[in-house]
Amino acid sequence: MTINAFLLIASFLLVLLVLAKPLGLFIASLIEGDMPRFMLRTEAVIWRCSGLKQPGREMAEMNWLRYALAILLFNFLGFILLFVLLVFQDSLPLNPQKFSGMNWDLAFNTAISFVTNTNWQSYSGESNLSYLSQMTGLTVQNFLSAATGIAVVFALIRAFSRHSSKTLGNAWVDLTRITLYLLLPLAIVFALFFVSQGVIQNFSAYILSDNLNSSAQLLPMGPVASQEAIKLLGTNGGGFFGANSSHPFENPTALSNFVQMLAIFLIPTALCFAFGRTVGDNKQGNALLWTMAIIFVIAAATVIYAEYIGNPFLNNFSANSTANMEGKESRFGILSSALYAVVTTAASCGAVNAMHDSFTALGGMVPMWLMQIGEVVFGGVGSGLYGMLLFVLLAVFIAGLMIGRTPEYLGKKIEVREMKMVAIAILVTPTLVLCGTTLALMTEAGRAAIFNPGAHGFSEVLYAFSSAANNNGSAFAGLSTNTPFYNIALAIAMLLGRFGVILPVLAIAGSLAMKKPQVATMASLPTHGPVFIGLLILTVLLIGALTFVPALALGPIAEHVQIWLAA
């Protein structure tokens, strides 16, 4: 087991780095606007078709406030269009199963979920959504929500690389370039690969077939591969089917499973290389990658170990093996299922190939904790990097207080204004998670949805709000969340968890962009060596411990102790 686990994790990271580095160099060219002429000509056609007579002036760069308003307007319009589509899908074409429209509270939850890059699904896609809703609603938002996160980190990277600048780029230009030149080409390539592996892609009506027991079985059809590609590349999560990536029509082979994990981490990893290239110091991007990789390997090893140890209580029933295969597909096994769980929760993806609710107490705690620290271990597209950079600024400031070093990063002095925004951005999601969990447990509507009593039931509620506030979308299954209370409460958590972080990040970017770089002196703290990497890891762990250890002690830790005492 140890050798196989090592080979799987090592091969995954090796292939990931080989693919991500050249992609990172291309992303850096998008950030800097250093693009081939044919791309600029393509853009000019788009601007003219959009009715812009003078795109040079109308596409001028924005300060951080205008950039933020453009991002908010863009996402608000996406929410309105998706909400209307979901409510009235029964009156629209491409609905061969004649599905009815969603209730307003479920449509509200779903629209916010996909606009905020969360893709929380309180429904089963193949039983509730038409092909039109899946394609023009969910798949389109998978592109646009991913582009939003990447655009925000573009603005923050420019803030570090520019000197005495009042602008951060143009939001509309960034969103267009990210979608057209980055997300769309990659999605086409991955969709074609998934089709080659057996992922379905059609507009056929559902097929009535005989199963192995000679009884009728309805086989869902639909445009799955196209949605599968961008749900992974954009760290969106969700899925065409309720079973998500454990469904053979979404994830049919061991190779497709491996490539899905690569797709989730590909752009977040490439952004680290792009960051180093753009700020003119590749060591800075490498330091972030080392920090993420170390935490990731420890988390993956912990989950794999916990699932192989399994439930010791089974020994009382003379079980041949205590390895925990409950809720896992036999074609993936423990190694690939555990690694997938860590990948999808370290990133803000939420796609799953196994039931996290069926993991052991510690095996389920690690994915939950990866979400709770802000999903900064590679993280979502854009959101992972700007989340980790918030921890970098905090680590630099803490080091300055402790050892008298100048609190600066990449020559930009970190002052009171930036630290206030960092504190808001880091604390907003823990506040939403803990307050949301408390509210659910204090109200009858919240408690009525819990099917499993005791510590595990508490874990299910805590996991739900951790997933929503951190825009992940995965879930423990023993919680019935398709109720007005949870649809509204989780939607609010998703909305504030997304934009409650984006706005402070853009405010920090606006402040840093205007600063002149300081000349490095003996008092400056090196931010690329092993010492700083260790400090950054400890900062991430410390924030996670201070905010969530008491809650985890009531849930998965208590459950783990109960099981081992019973054994």
Side-chain angles (χ1 to χ4, degrees):
M1 182 273 289
T2 303
I3 295 177
N4 290 339
F6 171 79
L7 291 176
L8 178 62
I9 296 173
S11 60
F12 171 73
L13 291 176
L14 178 61
V15 175
L16 176 67
L17 293 174
V18 169
L19 294 176
K21 186 167 185 177
L23 180 62
L25 299 181
F26 171 71
I27 293 175
S29 70
L30 292 182
I31 298 173
E32 297 168 341
D34 184 17
M35 299 155 52
R37 184 172 297 177
F38 79 89
M39 290 185 177
L40 298 176
R41 289 177 177 173
T42 303
E43 281 184 18
V45 174
I46 294 174
W47 305 141
R48 285 196 295 269
C49 292
S50 301
L52 299 180
K53 296 180 180 179
Q54 294 179 307
R57 185 174 65 185
E58 297 183 42
M59 289 295 141
E61 291 203 350
M62 304 172 172
N63 61 24
W64 80 266
L65 186 57
R66 288 186 61 203
Y67 201 102
L69 291 175
I71 291 293
L72 291 176
L73 176 62
F74 179 71
N75 284 271
F76 176 73
L77 294 176
F79 162 74
I80 295 297
L81 292 174
L82 182 54
F83 178 79
V84 172
L85 175 62
L86 294 174
V87 172
F88 297 104
Q89 70 170 355
D90 54 337
S91 304
L92 299 172
L94 283 177
N95 186 7
Q97 305 309 313
K98 308 300 181 184
F99 291 135
S100 61
M102 284 186 173
N103 293 332
W104 76 268
D105 59 301
L106 181 57
F108 177 75
N109 178 281
T110 304
I112 286 183
S113 173
F114 279 79
V115 167
T116 59
N117 199 242
T118 310
N119 292 34
W120 174 275
Q121 294 176 293
S122 294
Y123 60 90
S124 183
E126 73 271 32
S127 303
N128 291 269
L129 292 181
S130 67
Y131 293 165
L132 184 69
S133 296
Q134 294 273 18
M135 292 187 303
T136 62
L138 306 190
T139 304
V140 168
Q141 279 303 320
N142 283 347
F143 279 96
L144 302 184
S145 64
T148 296
I150 299 173
V152 172
V153 86
F154 274 20
L156 183 58
I157 292 174
R158 292 190 187 110
F160 284 113
S161 63
R162 294 181 176 183
H163 307 149
S164 304
S165 174
K166 294 182 179 180
T167 61
L168 300 170
N170 185 287
W172 307 116
V173 172
D174 287 341
L175 290 168
T176 301
R177 289 177 177 175
I178 292 164
T179 304
L180 190 62
Y181 304 135
L182 177 62
L183 296 176
L184 187 58
L186 285 175
I188 292 173
V189 171
F190 276 86
L192 291 174
F193 170 80
F194 289 142
V195 169
S196 75
Q197 293 296 298
V199 178
I200 62 173
Q201 179 76 15
N202 57 54
F203 295 104
S204 304
Y206 289 7
I207 297 173
L208 191 63
S209 176
D210 292 336
N211 61 22
L212 296 177
N213 296 326
S214 299
S215 58
Q217 179 181 9
L218 192 64
L219 297 179
M221 295 287 107
V224 178
S226 55
Q227 182 171 324
E228 189 72 12
I230 189 57
K231 92 169 190 183
L232 300 164
L233 285 166
T235 60
N236 295 283
F240 194 96
F241 301 105
N244 212 277
S245 288
S246 63
H247 198 293
F249 286 177
E250 280 198 34
N251 189 10
T253 67
L255 180 58
S256 69
N257 189 72
F258 188 82
V259 172
Q260 285 196 11
M261 292 188 289
L262 288 174
I264 294 171
F265 269 9
L266 180 59
I267 295 177
T269 307
L271 282 169
C272 292
F273 288 112
F275 172 74
R277 177 65 174 265
T278 306
V279 300
D281 188 352
N282 290 327
K283 293 180 180 179
Q284 302 296 335
N286 294 340
L288 299 180
L289 279 175
W290 271 107
T291 302
M292 296 175 180
I294 291 171
I295 299 176
F296 170 75
V297 170
I298 294 173
T302 302
V303 176
I304 291 172
Y305 176 77
E307 294 307 300
Y308 265 107
I309 293 297
N311 188 343
F313 192 72
L314 295 177
N315 290 328
N316 297 337
F317 299 94
S318 301
N320 292 328
S321 173
T322 56
N324 181 32
M325 275 297 294
E326 179 186 343
K328 301 178 179 65
E329 289 293 304
S330 58
R331 69 183 189 276
F332 301 140
I334 286 178
L335 282 180
S336 293
S337 299
L339 183 61
Y340 201 112
V342 174
V343 168
T344 195
T345 50
S348 63
C349 185
V352 295
N353 74 346
M355 187 58 64
H356 294 183
D357 193 45
S358 296
F359 279 29
T360 61
L362 293 184
M365 183 186 73
V366 172
M368 191 189 308
W369 178 79
L370 286 170
M371 293 187 297
Q372 290 168 347
I373 62 174
E375 292 172 316
V376 295
V377 182
F378 295 96
V381 287
S383 62
L385 181 55
Y386 67 64
M388 181 58 82
L389 287 172
L390 291 175
F391 280 105
V392 168
L393 298 181
L394 180 60
V396 167
F397 192 78
I398 291 174
L401 293 177
M402 292 175 60
I403 59 177
R405 294 276 190 167
T406 303
E408 61 183 36
Y409 184 61
L410 297 175
K412 300 294 183 78
K413 185 174 292 188
I414 311 303
E415 297 175 304
V416 174
R417 172 179 169 81
E418 290 80 33
M419 288 314 303
K420 287 181 178 179
M421 293 296 104
V422 168
I424 292 173
I426 288 178
L427 293 177
V428 63
T429 51
T431 301
L432 291 170
V433 172
L434 297 176
C435 291
T437 302
T438 301
L439 179 64
L441 296 174
M442 289 178 61
T443 58
E444 181 60 32
R447 294 193 300 269
I450 302 174
F451 293 158
N452 297 307
H456 192 75
F458 176 84
S459 295
E460 290 170 348
V461 177
L462 180 63
Y463 193 105
F465 281 95
S466 298
S467 179
N470 291 284
N471 304 127
N472 184 271
S474 64
F476 275 7
L479 188 69
S480 179
T481 56
N482 190 9
T483 65
F485 172 83
Y486 277 103
N487 281 334
I488 295 172
L490 293 174
I492 293 173
M494 288 184 277
L495 186 66
L496 297 179
R498 177 71 161 177
F499 297 104
V501 177
I502 283 178
L503 293 178
V505 166
L506 289 175
I508 292 170
S511 178
L512 291 176
M514 292 189 292
K515 295 187 176 185
K516 295 181 179 180
Q518 304 292 317
V519 178
T521 66
M522 293 295 293
S524 300
L525 175 69
T527 55
H528 53 74
V531 174
F532 184 77
I533 292 173
L535 175 62
L536 183 54
I537 292 174
L538 289 176
T539 302
V540 174
L541 297 179
L542 181 62
I543 295 299
L546 291 176
T547 50
F548 287 108
V549 163
L552 293 173
L554 295 174
I557 295 175
E559 183 184 0
H560 175 77
V561 173
Q562 289 173 350
I563 291 174
W564 281 82
L565 289 178

